[in-house]
Amino acid sequence: MAKVLIIGGGIVGLSSAYYLHKAGHQVTVIDKGDMTDNCSYGNAGMIVPSHFIPLATPGMVSQGIRWMFSSKSPFYVKPSLNPELISWGLKFLKKANAAHVENSAIPLTELSLLSKKLYQELSKEPDFEFDLVEKGILMFYKTEKAGEEEAHMAEKGRQLGLDMKVLSPADCMKLQPKLNLDVLGAVHYGCDAHLSPNKLMAALLKYLRTVGVNLVTNKEVTKIETSNGKVSRVWSSGEEFTADEYVVAGGSWSPSIGKLLGLKILLMPGKGYSFNIQDDAEVMQIPALLAEARVAITPMNGGLRYGGTMELDRINNRVNMNRVKGIVESVPQYFPGLKPAVPQQKDIWFGFRPSSADGLPYIGRSNKYANLIIATGHGMMGLSLGAATGLLVTEVISGTPTSININEFAPDR
């Protein structure tokens, strides 16, 4: 069995460590932080086989340009001469076509369904209680245009074998009778589920520590040595790490890790915000997505978690309160009875989603280094796809057939 070093302690890194350990490998995970507050914690906790359409779609180009002129819009690209952003944007434009959307649907669906199955199995393991609930997700819409788009999406989903149904407002009220609605309708993504990311990450960390996986925290990788087409050693804070196999699972920090190897991992950090309100727990039992506003609301830990926005920029610690206000102001437009207050800045969580230009994750071996695996670029679906990615990384390292075809996710595509 192999000695494996994973760079990155988010959901992808820890899931990889979990399945690698189960397969008998010796695992070390190294992270620049303490593994308790990365992007895997503050997300909406949604498991979304329904999301088989990648970010790079024809409509996102024109819609994204319109959104860029509003400080409260759900999507924003900060204009910049940043060469990474320019490269990312050019590939995004190239991939934003109907053929790419069509070709991506089956691989994304297979990856999502595999991940959901693995979370179902994991939830039955001892000490893995993370509030997995399989009631689906409701995608609410207020305009006829959004309704037509969602109905088309639901039909495509059914063709892929997914449970997706168009509902009237009356149908929605039957599912959530305590929720006051001002919508034209919704699509019930019965194929979806949700969980508590905080509890899932805590359970993974506890398990990995218990079984002896080496978790190295607060050490940033500063140098990577290579020899004869392989990675030979990694340096972090003056400490040397060696392994047989190396995994880059650094989320939005993966490009900087790639640079140490002379690799260009094309992705941009998409900043998202979330905050929790404890008062509205009884109102909503099924998570909601607000189609036009691009806002997610999830019942979680006795309250509701509100989240949204995608802000493409360099990694930074700024909290854009206008973006948060945009989330808050959109909610009563759909649910007049829900009026969350704008949270104080100290109560706002933000994280960076590693967004590839074509909307597909990177999963697989690098062509440049024989013992290097890339596992990043999951965008807004990192938690949803984390378990499957961890298993696939394990299968690649173990040399066993992968559970699904991963050709579309090739890092060097």
Side-chain angles (χ1 to χ4, degrees):
M1 291 299 170
K3 183 180 178 183
V4 184
L5 176 66
I6 301 170
I7 304 173
I11 184 61
V12 172
L14 296 188
S15 295
S16 298
Y18 175 84
Y19 290 107
L20 283 164
H21 171 79
K22 288 281 189 180
H25 300 289
Q26 182 183 342
V27 186
T28 294
V29 184
I30 184 170
D31 193 90
K32 63 179 183 55
D34 64 4
M35 304 189 196
T36 64
D37 190 30
N38 51 44
C39 195
S40 304
Y41 281 84
N43 62 74
M46 295 180 174
I47 311 301
V48 285
S50 61
H51 286 39
F52 52 83
I53 301 296
L55 180 64
T57 62
M60 273 300 292
V61 177
S62 57
Q63 180 67 73
I65 292 172
R66 290 194 295 271
W67 275 335
M68 283 181 64
F69 294 98
S70 170
S71 64
K72 295 181 180 179
S73 68
F75 182 77
Y76 180 70
V77 181
K78 185 177 181 180
S80 169
L81 294 178
N82 175 5
E84 285 81 12
L85 176 60
I86 293 171
S87 295
W88 188 95
L90 289 173
K91 185 168 183 179
F92 180 92
L93 290 171
K94 182 179 179 181
K95 288 293 184 178
N97 59 68
H100 174 63
V101 171
E102 185 71 23
N103 293 337
S104 301
I106 291 177
L108 279 176
T109 301
E110 291 179 344
L111 186 61
S112 286
L113 289 175
L114 173 61
S115 216
K116 181 183 177 183
K117 173 177 172 287
L118 293 171
Y119 280 128
Q120 290 169 330
E121 294 173 354
L122 191 61
S123 70
K124 297 172 185 175
E125 293 292 317
D127 300 320
F128 270 95
E129 174 51 55
F130 46 85
D131 301 340
L132 179 65
V133 180
E134 298 184 62
K135 293 182 179 180
I137 294 172
L138 287 165
M139 171 68 88
F140 292 96
Y141 50 84
K142 290 181 65 69
T143 63
E144 291 184 2
K145 180 176 184 295
E148 291 172 0
E149 291 173 351
E150 291 303 320
H152 175 75
M153 188 88 70
E155 176 57 33
K156 177 64 177 177
R158 286 192 291 271
Q159 293 173 11
L160 292 167
L162 300 174
D163 178 7
M164 300 173 72
K165 297 184 181 71
V166 178
L167 304 182
S168 68
D171 295 329
C172 298
M173 286 300 297
K174 291 177 184 177
L175 287 174
Q176 304 220 97
K178 295 183 180 180
L179 191 61
N180 188 9
L181 300 178
D182 183 9
V183 298
L184 285 182
V187 173
H188 187 199
Y189 299 154
C191 53
D192 292 354
H194 71 281
L195 54 77
S196 169
N198 305 62
K199 293 182 178 180
L200 172 64
M201 294 296 288
L204 280 169
L205 283 169
K206 181 181 178 181
Y207 171 85
L208 294 173
R209 289 192 181 103
T210 300
V211 299
V213 168
N214 185 22
L215 301 178
V216 181
T217 59
N218 300 306
K219 284 188 178 290
E220 186 170 359
V221 172
T222 55
K223 181 181 179 182
I224 302 178
E225 295 181 13
T226 62
S227 177
N228 298 320
K230 287 188 173 184
V231 179
S232 55
R233 67 191 70 238
V234 166
W235 293 88
S236 176
S237 302
E239 188 173 352
E240 175 187 346
F241 297 87
T242 60
D244 303 310
E245 301 274 3
Y246 296 81
V247 181
V248 173
S252 290
W253 284 263
S254 297
S256 61
I257 299 167
K259 284 181 180 179
L260 298 175
L261 289 157
L263 294 176
K264 186 174 184 178
I265 301 175
L266 188 59
L267 59 82
M268 286 294 295
K271 184 189 286 184
Y273 299 97
S274 73
F275 56 91
N276 299 316
I277 302 290
Q278 293 303 116
D279 297 339
D280 301 321
E282 296 300 317
V283 176
M284 182 180 293
Q285 302 300 315
I286 301 174
L289 292 169
L290 313 184
E292 295 89 349
R294 299 296 205 275
V295 165
I297 310 172
T298 309
M300 191 179 297
N301 304 329
L304 296 179
R305 174 169 289 178
Y306 297 84
T309 81
M310 174 69 96
E311 186 178 325
L312 295 181
D313 193 0
R314 294 181 187 272
I315 291 174
N316 62 76
N317 292 320
R318 296 188 301 269
V319 173
N320 188 328
M321 290 303 295
N322 272 338
R323 302 248 164 242
V324 178
K325 289 175 183 175
I327 296 172
V328 169
E329 292 170 4
S330 71
V331 175
Q333 296 175 22
Y334 295 77
F335 313 129
L338 279 181
K339 298 178 180 179
V342 176
Q344 296 183 42
Q345 186 165 321
K346 68 178 179 63
D347 297 323
I348 298 168
W349 177 93
F350 65 88
F352 299 94
R353 309 176 186 105
S355 303
S356 68
D358 61 5
L360 300 178
Y362 300 116
I363 308 171
R365 287 198 181 276
S366 163
N367 285 341
K368 188 171 182 180
Y369 300 107
N371 63 340
L372 178 68
I373 294 89
I374 309 294
T376 188
H378 297 75
M380 292 182 287
M381 296 189 291
L383 180 117
S384 183
L385 303 177
T389 302
L391 177 62
L392 292 168
V393 166
T394 299
E395 291 170 341
V396 169
I397 288 175
S398 300
T400 58
T402 52
S403 296
I404 62 171
N405 189 322
I406 61 172
N407 289 343
E408 295 295 325
F409 309 127
D412 301 290
R413 63 181 183 270

